[in-house]
Amino acid sequence: MENNSQPLVSIIILNYNAGNLLLHCVESVLQTNYENYEIIVVDNASTDNSQNECKEKFTTIQLIQNQKNLGYCEGNNIGINGANGEFIVILNPDTIVESNWLKELVNGYQKLGEGIYQPRFLTTDNHKILQGTGNMINLFGFGFARNKGDLDEGQFTKPERIGYASGTCLFTSKKIMNRLEMFDSFLFAYHDDLDLCWRAALENIKSYYIPSSIVYHPREGYTFKWNSFKFYLLERNRQYCLLTHYSRGTYFKMMPALTIIEIGVFFYYLKKGVLLSKFKATLNILKNFKHINSRYKEIQNKRLVSDRELIKIFEDDITIPKMMDSEYNNGLGNFIKNLSQFTRKFL
């Protein structure tokens, strides 16, 4: 796994009770045709013994065992701090990689320059179904995977800039990760990749999609599924990003539209039976407003790109997972799109 003519890449796999998925993931990584890499498995206090089974089967990996579940953000930060590579890959344990996945990401970085990169995702059980051709940020802070669930018909086959790189498989340099101070541990999980790449974009570090790098991922991730805790984190972290990343001037201009979005999210959560998650998300934002204001100042002091310039790459449209009641989602998606298009006129 060492080739001094190639830069060292540290592949960080964060595990939490992933079972055999972790073993299959590491096994596929070991078939990588890029030679100079290290594998660091960070375990968030799993109870299924998958981390020890992985170390026993693949003795060359490094295993870091946390004493409790630190979440996606801090768990990966620990892996980054322990990494020796010039480059970093954040890889979910429920993925399977093709042999040239890493070489294509490195090549993309060398051609396009400093940035944060993601591969093309295909569904694990059907390689003709896309899981994502780049992640996008909606004007109101919703993140989504482009083309998720669509038939792979050769769309988006050229490297291009995207809204943000998916944390399912995220590639960048350790220098950039250190510059951005890694993932924001306040978020715990979800929208962590959106937050990271939005902060990066404010510092003129772009996110890119490399379609020649192929990674397979299940239709839905193995952790949290669609439960009340996931709905809570998604909504709380979306609000957090809006409050910390947009300038106060932009945020106040968007207030009428954001108020309408609040009402829409309220009724959506009511329909999904997780209204309590919406209340908890809003209460947590209010409870942590002092921290949020401090974080806002930190991010704004570093920014190099204006909101007006940045939102040019933000989407009006939004893709809501089809498994969440598609008929209702289409109406909600169209409503958000129209409101976003209208709001842009005032920014």
Side-chain angles (χ1 to χ4, degrees):
M1 289 190 296
E2 290 190 14
N3 182 342
N4 292 330
S5 66
Q6 297 176 321
L8 176 64
V9 179
S10 299
I11 302 168
I12 298 164
I13 304 173
L14 181 66
N15 180 59
Y16 180 67
N17 292 329
N20 288 330
L21 292 171
L22 175 64
L23 302 180
H24 298 325
C25 175
V26 172
E27 187 172 25
S28 74
V29 171
L30 290 171
Q31 306 304 313
T32 296
N33 60 20
Y34 186 92
E35 296 179 359
N36 197 19
Y37 65 90
E38 62 177 1
I39 300 174
I40 302 173
V41 173
V42 181
D43 186 73
N44 262 343
S46 294
T47 57
D48 66 352
N49 203 41
S50 55
Q51 73 278 27
N52 294 315
E53 290 178 10
C54 187
K55 179 62 177 176
E56 289 171 9
K57 184 173 182 178
F58 307 112
T59 58
T60 58
I61 70 167
Q62 299 178 46
L63 175 61
I64 300 173
Q65 302 209 52
N66 297 327
Q67 297 304 304
K68 63 178 182 179
N69 184 0
L70 300 176
Y72 177 94
C73 296
E74 192 58 27
N76 276 309
N77 287 346
I78 286 174
I80 295 167
N81 283 326
N84 298 305
E86 177 183 346
F87 293 100
I88 298 291
V89 172
I90 305 298
L91 186 67
N92 274 13
D94 55 352
T95 57
I96 300 293
V97 300
E98 287 215 341
S99 60
N100 70 337
W101 72 291
L102 188 54
K103 184 178 289 185
E104 293 299 321
L105 289 170
V106 173
N107 288 343
Y109 192 102
Q110 292 173 341
K111 290 177 182 177
L112 296 173
E114 284 195 339
I116 306 177
Y117 290 74
Q118 77 154 81
R120 177 159 48 128
F121 294 112
L122 296 172
T123 304
T124 306
D125 61 354
N126 185 344
H127 296 177
K128 296 181 180 180
I129 301 297
L130 290 163
Q131 278 293 93
T133 59
N135 277 19
M136 301 297 171
I137 304 175
N138 170 267
L139 189 68
F140 302 125
F142 300 103
F144 63 97
R146 184 174 62 180
N147 292 125
K148 185 173 183 178
D150 293 347
L151 184 67
D152 187 0
E153 298 178 315
Q155 58 271 60
F156 302 106
T157 56
K158 295 181 180 180
E160 62 175 300
R161 186 179 182 185
I162 54 175
Y164 68 105
S166 170
T168 300
C169 178
L170 183 152
F171 174 92
T172 191
S173 68
K174 188 170 183 181
K175 182 175 77 170
I176 285 178
M177 275 297 194
N178 288 334
R179 175 177 166 182
L180 296 172
E181 298 179 339
M182 300 180 283
F183 293 103
D184 188 337
S185 58
F186 176 85
L187 300 176
F188 190 79
Y190 296 111
H191 284 338
D192 34 69
D193 43 9
L194 182 151
D195 165 77
L196 178 79
C197 295
W198 191 341
R199 288 190 284 116
L202 287 171
E203 297 186 40
N204 205 27
I205 300 170
K206 300 177 175 68
S207 296
Y208 295 98
Y209 159 68
I210 304 297
S212 55
S213 174
I214 305 294
V215 172
Y216 302 104
H217 188 244
R219 295 173 190 266
E220 294 299 331
Y222 78 102
T223 56
F224 293 142
K225 306 296 182 183
W226 284 100
N227 60 24
S228 59
F229 187 50
K230 181 172 182 176
F231 275 105
Y232 159 75
L233 288 173
L234 284 169
E235 178 59 11
R236 185 200 65 166
N237 294 349
R238 181 185 70 87
Q239 292 187 42
Y240 179 84
C241 288
L242 291 173
L243 287 164
T244 55
H245 297 7
Y246 278 135
S247 70
R248 289 289 183 255
T250 299
Y251 189 87
F252 287 129
K253 288 177 183 177
M254 293 177 64
M255 276 292 288
L258 290 174
T259 301
I260 295 172
I261 290 295
E262 280 292 297
I263 296 170
V265 172
F266 175 91
F267 282 108
Y268 187 78
Y269 274 46
L270 176 63
K271 177 175 171 46
K272 303 309 295 184
V274 290
L275 186 58
L276 185 59
S277 296
K278 171 60 179 167
F279 284 128
K280 286 182 176 179
T282 301
L283 287 173
N284 191 267
I285 290 293
L286 294 173
K287 177 183 176 182
N288 288 284
F289 198 77
K290 184 176 181 181
H291 167 77
I292 290 169
N293 192 50
S294 176
R295 184 64 171 158
Y296 167 81
K297 291 177 181 178
E298 291 175 7
I299 292 172
Q300 299 303 313
N301 285 338
K302 293 180 179 180
R303 74 179 300 159
L304 302 173
V305 179
S306 68
D307 287 335
R308 178 170 292 184
E309 184 66 26
L310 186 57
I311 63 174
K312 291 178 181 178
I313 68 162
F314 285 8
E315 298 289 317
D316 296 315
D317 210 347
I318 181 172
T319 300
I320 303 172
K322 295 176 181 178
M323 49 81 68
M324 294 173 62
D325 188 2
S326 60
E327 183 179 354
Y328 183 76
N329 291 344
N330 289 335
L332 180 62
N334 288 332
F335 172 76
I336 291 174
K337 179 179 179 179
N338 292 332
L339 183 61
S340 179
Q341 290 174 337
F342 179 77
T343 304
R344 278 184 187 272
K345 299 176 183 179
F346 303 96
L347 300 179

